Amino acid sequence: MKVLFSVLLPPLFFEGLLAQCPAPSELVNDAGEKLCARMFEHSNMYFDQSCGGLYLDVKNGDDFPYMPSGCGNKISSLAVGNRCTLKVWSKSGKTGNNRSFNAGMVYQLKDFANGLFGNWNDSINAYYCTCT
Ligand SMILES: *[C@@H]1O[C@H](CO)[C@@H](O)[C@H](O)[C@H]1NC(C)=O
Ligand SMILES: *[C@@H]1O[C@H](CO)[C@@H](O)[C@H](O)[C@H]1NC(C)=O
């Protein structure tokens, strides 16, 4: 018997070759499709060396109450595309603290307060991204 099924592949972490942040206007994936955001594993105090390591591509409308496997508590910098907003939560299931990032670069998530004492470095555990 032949079973037909469809698998919704989660966006996987890709290996980034260059540690350089993309401009919001040039935020496209390898297929040339416009992205809502791209999240990176590493950051750097030298902004031109930020956005390194593995990265996660986020499309318009992507809604992840739970991070794709291996990506929870791993994001240290990010880029949001023009006319897009990335909303993030510190705990899975869209709980904990939340905040929104508009178009532009976040070179170091550690510079953004998460609650009274924490920051957003390695603290994203859910996200939702939309563009107008
Ligand atoms: C974001 O956090 C605020 C403050 O805790 C809360 O009132 C609000 O409901 C949260 N928003 C979402 C969409 O989770
Ligand atoms: C972000 O968190 C990771 C894991 O705790 C840590 O290794 C890294 O140094 C932190 N980055 C910054 C900029 O604080």
Side-chain angles (χ1 to χ4, degrees):
M1 193 178 78
K2 195 172 175 185
V3 179
L4 292 176
F5 62 98
S6 72
V7 178
L8 180 65
L9 286 174
L12 299 172
F13 250 164
F14 296 105
E15 184 73 47
L17 296 179
L18 295 172
Q20 192 158 53
C21 297
S25 59
E26 37 184 55
L27 208 51
V28 292
N29 65 13
D30 289 344
E33 301 164 320
K34 176 182 160 58
L35 292 173
C36 189
R38 180 173 277 167
M39 298 195 268
F40 301 87
E41 184 184 16
H42 299 316
S43 64
N44 197 292
M45 62 180 163
Y46 297 106
F47 289 174
D48 64 352
Q49 292 170 37
S50 192
C51 303
L54 304 173
Y55 63 88
L56 177 62
D57 279 349
V58 180
K59 290 187 181 171
N60 185 11
D62 274 3
D63 192 2
F64 281 78
Y66 299 90
M67 292 297 271
S69 172
C71 300
N73 284 329
K74 281 267 199 296
I75 307 301
S76 295
S77 62
L78 57 86
V80 179
N82 288 336
R83 303 192 321 278
C84 301
T85 302
L86 174 70
K87 191 168 181 74
V88 300
W89 287 263
S90 62
K91 294 196 175 143
S92 58
K94 294 182 179 167
T95 58
N97 296 317
N98 65 69
R99 73 162 292 147
S100 292
F101 294 101
N102 293 321
M105 283 306 315
V106 172
Y107 293 103
Q108 294 199 107
L109 276 163
K110 85 158 178 56
D111 293 341
F112 291 80
N114 173 8
L116 231 39
F117 304 109
N119 65 63
W120 280 95
N121 179 49
D122 279 7
S123 295
I124 294 178
N125 281 295
Y127 64 91
Y128 174 55
C129 205
T130 50
C131 305
T132 59

